[in-house]
DNA sequence: TAAACTAATTATAACAATTATAATTTAAGA
DNA sequence: TCTTAAATTATAATTGTTATAATTAGTTTA
């Protein structure tokens, strides 16, 4: 439960100051349920913080990433997207409209182990993305 | 075998003209065994094509991607990397030095199926990356 | 509480990767 | 060989992101 509270606790523990901007960015990330870009966040908080700089958004997203609260997702053509870290999950991405849907799937630990064994890497984590066409885009397709 | 020949065949079949630049870019991609950036390719072919524009490299990488010969890999901080499509494989990436090692692992087809079932997506393909520290970087670590 | 210090924010400029544009050149079929 | 459409080039523009310096705001200490 209360992810925001836990996130703020993490910031306190790691000695990162809690500013109104950081609070708002975290809150937005947690509540949005989407995978917003830095600019999405910037625009969404424009009303609350008319003077906030876009650099603040980027800076804080980097800070959040460094303390493990946020994951940065990059795709070919668009700008980076940011995902609040909850449980381990993967993404199913529509190649037509860009929609990203979370997908829970347990246990690719064995892949990490095998990769480590074969390559000699010290493996930390992994990332899996599945590409396709979402139901909405499929139904709009011309036959 | 002869991947270049097959690739050129693919271009012919899809009605894409075979130009000296395209030939050279494909050849470089196949032989390099690395995962070059557009600029890597541009620099590597400078000697052969002193007048080639960097736009040509980007244009053709896009063309190759569109006909399925090339995959574009994007990571957080660096520029896109391009990977000649051979058999399905994944990447093990060193978070310290950026090295990318290919890693063969069969059968994540079930993940695709499950993702499709759960989300209703028409799934085309997937991408898996494993992050860690390579043996060289691990041995250089300060203890 | 006030002063001093450190970190965060802002505004702006710079940068780097990529894409768009228009003119020129080239490949491939008639 | 001529024609036409496509590819390449050179260049400019765009966009996402980062760096810089000045200002502001939290925190700590006296």
């Amino acid at each position: 439960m209360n992810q925001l509270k836990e996130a703020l606790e993490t910031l306190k523990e790691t000695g990162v100051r809690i500013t109104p901007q950081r609070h708002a960015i975290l809150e937005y990330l947690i509540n949005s349920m989407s995978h917003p870009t830095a600019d999405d966040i910037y625009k969404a908080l424009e009303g609350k913080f008319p003077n906030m700089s876009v650099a603040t958004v980027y800076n804080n997203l980097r800070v959040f990433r460094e303390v493990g609260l946020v994951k940065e997702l990059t795709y070919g053509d668009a700008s980076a997207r940011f995902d609040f870290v909850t449980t381990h999950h993967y993404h199913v991405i529509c190649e037509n409209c860009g929609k990203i849907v979370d997908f829970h799937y347990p246990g690719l630990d064995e892949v990490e182990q095998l990769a480590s064994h074969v390559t000699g890497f010290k493996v930390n984590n992994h990332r899996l993305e599945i590409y396709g066409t979402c139901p909405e885009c499929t139904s709009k397709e011309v036959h």
Side-chain angles (χ1 to χ4, degrees), chain A:
Chain A
M1 274 292 106
N2 208 330
Q3 299 183 310
L4 180 56
K5 214 173 162 187
E6 276 179 32
L8 294 174
E9 196 59 38
T10 303
L11 291 187
K12 233 182 221 167
E13 280 163 14
T14 49
V16 175
R17 282 193 189 160
I18 297 159
T19 64
Q21 291 90 338
R22 286 183 177 161
H23 191 282
I25 292 170
L26 272 179
E27 200 173 26
Y28 180 77
L29 271 169
I30 291 169
N31 293 333
S32 75
M33 294 304 297
S34 67
H35 304 76
T37 64
D39 200 59
D40 289 339
I41 299 170
Y42 176 65
K43 286 208 171 64
L45 301 180
E46 228 168 19
K48 222 176 190 170
F49 299 91
N51 296 324
M52 186 166 65
S53 167
V54 71
T56 298
V57 177
Y58 279 104
N59 285 340
N60 290 332
L61 287 170
R62 179 164 31 79
V63 169
F64 296 157
R65 189 188 41 184
E66 280 165 4
V67 300
L69 284 175
V70 158
K71 275 203 176 162
E72 187 175 347
L73 310 168
T74 55
Y75 304 106
D77 46 351
S79 45
R81 292 167 163 279
F82 295 87
D83 193 13
F84 186 75
V85 171
T86 52
T87 55
H88 202 210
H89 64 271
Y90 305 120
H91 297 111
V92 188
I93 300 158
C94 179
E95 292 175 307
N96 188 253
C97 68
K99 189 187 312 170
I100 303 175
V101 176
D102 289 349
F103 169 61
H104 291 269
Y105 181 79
L108 287 184
D109 303 336
E110 58 185 84
V111 183
E112 286 200 3
Q113 284 169 31
L114 184 60
S116 176
H117 185 252
V118 170
T119 64
F121 270 56
K122 200 158 124 340
V123 169
N124 295 326
N125 64 327
H126 68 272
R127 169 182 166 185
L128 169 67
E129 268 121 20
I130 297 155
Y131 296 93
T133 315
C134 72
E136 289 72 32
C137 287
T138 303
S139 70
K140 275 178 208 144
E141 263 170 25
V142 184
H143 297 286

